[in-house]
Amino acid sequence: MDKRRILFVCLGNICRSPLGEGILRHLADDRGLAHLIETDSAGTGGWHQGDPPDPRSIKTASNHGIDIAPLRGRKVRPADFNAFDLIFAMDRDNLRDLVKMAPHDSSADIHLFMDFVSGERRDVPDPYYGDMSDFEEVYDMLEKGCETLIATLFANK
Ligand code: 4NP
């Protein structure tokens, strides 16, 4: 079976999408599926290129036994649209921007994350101006969503 290449995208690539990347990688490791999943994250904006995740995302992940401190922010690039099979937007603004950025010949399947994993057209809310409880809420949504994602992708394994 080919590797599934999955990119998480938010606005800054320091709060939500690095958490998604870290959680998916952790679940894949846990379930012996690491060789079948490649994951990364990026932002539609480039203000945090080269920056580590927000300290509140690092802390939230660490509270759940996941280390995302080594990750570094980057902006979505045109090559991503062919390098990844599935691109997940955290919210509807990110989705709209991704669709605009996608080259016309791109093969990527771009979805709103919550829509793909739950059928609900909901955003993973931006926690940047919030507090730790907002980061925990984001973590919960992403963890449940990634569990469903893995179950969906590997239903017959
Ligand atoms: P993220 O959160 O999109 O989940 O990484 C944000 C991070 C930074 C900014 C906005 C949202 N910012 O405006 O710098």
Side-chain angles (χ1 to χ4, degrees), residues 10-18 47-48 94 126-129:
C10 59
L11 177 60
N13 192 211
I14 55 166
C15 296
R16 293 165 290 177
S17 58
W47 313 282
H48 296 286
N94 310 147
D126 184 350
Y128 189 63
Y129 294 105

Side-chain angles (χ1 to χ4, degrees), residues 101-122:
M101 291 163 99
H104 290 298
D105 63 347
S106 107
S107 57
D109 222 359
I110 306 170
H111 296 269
L112 186 66
F113 180 70
M114 289 306 290
D115 189 18
F116 190 87
V117 296
S118 74
E120 293 174 84
R121 267 198 100 61
R122 285 177 67 196

Side-chain angles (χ1 to χ4, degrees), residues 14 80-81 83 91 105 110 143 150:
I14 55 166
D80 288 329
F81 294 91
D91 66 32
D105 63 347
I110 306 170
E143 184 187 48
I150 287 183

Side-chain angles (χ1 to χ4, degrees), residues 6-11 16 44 85-99 108-126 141-142 145-146 148-149:
I6 296 162
L7 182 68
F8 290 87
V9 175
C10 59
L11 177 60
R16 293 165 290 177
T44 55
D85 304 304
L86 278 168
I87 300 184
F88 288 128
M90 294 290 103
D91 66 32
R92 279 164 280 199
D93 287 343
N94 310 147
L95 180 65
R96 189 201 55 220
D97 291 342
L98 275 170
V99 168
D109 222 359
I110 306 170
H111 296 269
L112 186 66
F113 180 70
M114 289 306 290
D115 189 18
F116 190 87
V117 296
S118 74
E120 293 174 84
R121 267 198 100 61
R122 285 177 67 196
D123 293 340
V124 177
D126 184 350
M141 290 176 85
L142 290 171
C146 285
T148 304
L149 174 64

